[in-house]
Amino acid sequence: MASPATAPEGTELTITLPDDFHHHFRDGPSTANVLEHATQQFGRCIAMPNLRPPVTTTEMALEYRQRILSSLPKELPHGSFEPLMTLYLTDNTSPDEIKKAFATGHIKACKYYPAGATTNSDAGVTDVKKTYPALRAMEEIGMVLCIHSEVSTPGIDIFDREPVFIEEIIKPLVKDMPKLKIVMEHISTKEAVDYVMSAPDNVKASITCHHLLYNRNALLVGGIKPHFYCLPILKRETHREALLGAATSGSNKFFLGTDSAPHAVEVKEAACGCAGAYTAHCAVQLYAEAFDSMGALDKLEAFCSFHGADHYSLPRNTQKITLEKKSWIVPKRYSFGISQLVPIRAGESVAWSIVSN
């Protein structure tokens, strides 16, 4: 089968300003570095709560929000970027805390981390049934549940943890709470694509740009490439193709969530390196590459700017952003607090550029 025709050099594409429904801002001096990138291409970002200590209460979330706002670039017009806050769900999160958080108008979701599944998830959920009182409160008030959809059981192969989670956790949860708004975040397998497509309309999924563009060869062939190590881990090419097909299908079941996760270079390039790929510097441009490869640039705007906002019951952005198919070289490193980080595509070209926002 012939490859889809891609856009010629110089093509311009104007879309509604995207939102990122999964972003790691970290906390402290490095937050300002991350925001320099995120605010260039997103109007709103869901801020992940897996800090140390985790953001488990309304007060902690509002204080973190204020720290993010105080770290915004000084030249950024007031009100042009909004961090959307989340609570870190634990076995002990109460229904009252859920209702209190949602009533602020600033806390839009709770994040379900299976204990031990990913970075700073040690305080996460040990048994989904322990969260049911909180989840029923969320179902009642329309609050979104964001899920890192992998089991953390030691005996389960790391490449199989998402499909096992679907069978053991997601399917029973959806049956028990048919009105709970769920996002399976950063899905990485064909099994997840197939499940989300067949699931009720309250179940949707975010997809990262790195899972659309790379398979596990990027991590493992020719030596370990630590900056491609992320969780969920990159999978076989058959899974990447399924994700790409889903993202570019036009289905409102799928939307943008970068899971851009910065780490200082010294903790990535280590004997036991941290999981996380940094894409905040060029995420929308990389999504454009992925959609262009499928001849589906006409589907990019809805994926980036409409489907996620609609699921979260947010108004769509009114601002616009213009992309041009004009390549540029990504710096080999970016500042990250007192250290530096190595981004995806470090020292390599990205085919699309943002030319106005």
Side-chain angles (χ1 to χ4, degrees):
M1 182 183 296
S3 298
T6 58
E9 287 292 316
T11 297
E12 289 196 355
L13 179 66
T14 298
I15 64 172
T16 300
L17 182 65
D19 296 312
D20 183 1
F21 288 95
H22 188 136
H23 207 94
H24 293 274
F25 291 109
R26 305 306 187 211
D27 200 14
S30 60
T31 299
N33 301 123
V34 175
L35 284 164
E36 288 176 9
H37 292 146
T39 56
Q40 293 177 23
Q41 52 196 302
F42 299 117
R44 298 169 292 208
C45 291
I46 286 278
M48 289 294 105
N50 57 332
L51 307 181
R52 290 191 183 277
V55 181
T56 55
T57 69
T58 301
E59 290 75 16
M60 293 175 76
L62 295 178
E63 289 169 2
Y64 183 34
R65 177 178 183 270
Q66 192 54 50
R67 294 197 297 275
I68 293 172
L69 291 173
S70 66
S71 300
L72 288 170
K74 303 303 181 188
E75 67 277 7
L76 194 71
H78 179 73
S80 61
F81 177 82
E82 181 183 6
L84 307 175
M85 309 312 293
T86 57
L87 288 189
Y88 186 114
L89 191 68
T90 73
D91 292 347
N92 302 311
T93 304
S94 71
D96 286 345
E97 190 67 49
I98 293 296
K99 294 175 182 178
K100 178 182 177 182
F102 197 59
T104 67
H106 298 305
I107 303 170
K108 302 297 185 182
C110 276
K111 179 62 183 275
Y112 178 134
Y113 290 103
T118 189
T119 303
N120 296 349
S121 63
D122 295 345
V125 175
T126 64
D127 180 351
V128 66
K129 290 296 179 72
K130 293 181 178 179
T131 70
Y132 268 31
L135 298 185
R136 293 197 188 284
M138 293 174 65
E139 182 181 34
E140 176 188 337
I141 62 179
M143 193 178 194
V144 175
L145 177 65
C146 304
I147 306 182
H148 183 113
S149 305
E150 293 187 293
V151 296
S152 54
T153 311
I156 303 299
D157 190 284
I158 194 169
F159 291 99
D160 298 329
R161 291 182 174 188
E162 189 171 272
V164 171
F165 190 92
I166 292 169
E167 296 300 322
E168 293 186 355
I169 305 295
I170 292 286
K171 288 184 177 179
L173 175 60
V174 171
K175 181 179 179 181
D176 290 345
M177 299 190 196
K179 295 182 180 179
L180 179 63
K181 296 172 74 172
I182 293 172
V183 179
M184 289 181 62
E185 297 200 298
H186 46 51
I187 61 169
S188 63
T189 60
K190 183 179 185 300
E191 290 89 341
V193 168
D194 292 343
Y195 172 70
V196 172
M197 286 296 292
S198 66
D201 195 54
N202 59 305
V203 180
K204 294 185 167 63
S206 64
I207 307 178
T208 77
C209 48
H210 49 284
H211 284 98
L212 291 178
L213 291 170
Y214 297 103
N215 62 35
R216 63 189 186 182
N217 284 356
L219 171 66
L220 298 171
V221 171
I224 297 291
K225 311 295 195 311
H227 301 288
F228 283 105
Y229 173 54
C230 57
L231 291 172
I233 199 165
L234 296 173
K235 305 297 196 301
R236 289 180 180 271
E237 176 65 6
T238 51
H239 297 293
R240 188 190 74 86
E241 291 173 351
L243 295 170
L244 197 54
T248 61
S249 68
S251 169
N252 70 356
K253 286 278 194 167
F254 306 100
F255 53 84
L256 186 156
T258 66
D259 191 18
S260 180
H263 291 284
V265 62
E266 62 268 19
V267 298
K268 285 291 286 180
E269 298 177 2
C272 186
C274 294
Y278 187 73
T279 57
H281 60 297
C282 64
V284 175
Q285 299 95 310
L286 291 177
Y287 282 110
E289 275 194 20
F291 278 66
D292 191 18
S293 75
M294 297 290 285
L297 286 172
D298 60 318
K299 305 292 198 308
L300 181 67
E301 182 178 41
F303 177 86
C304 292
S305 311
F306 298 160
H307 297 164
D310 294 349
H311 188 56
Y312 276 80
S313 301
L314 297 170
R316 295 176 179 180
N317 292 322
T318 57
Q319 308 97 309
K320 300 289 183 179
I321 189 172
T322 299
L323 297 158
E324 181 181 354
K325 192 167 185 182
K326 178 176 66 175
S327 67
W328 57 286
I329 303 298
V330 175
K332 292 184 178 180
R333 296 191 179 192
Y334 286 112
S335 296
F336 185 62
I338 61 172
S339 186
Q340 294 182 313
L341 62 76
V342 177
I344 291 294
R345 294 278 178 91
E348 299 176 0
S349 66
V350 174
W352 288 81
S353 302
I354 294 175
V355 294
S356 69
N357 56 10

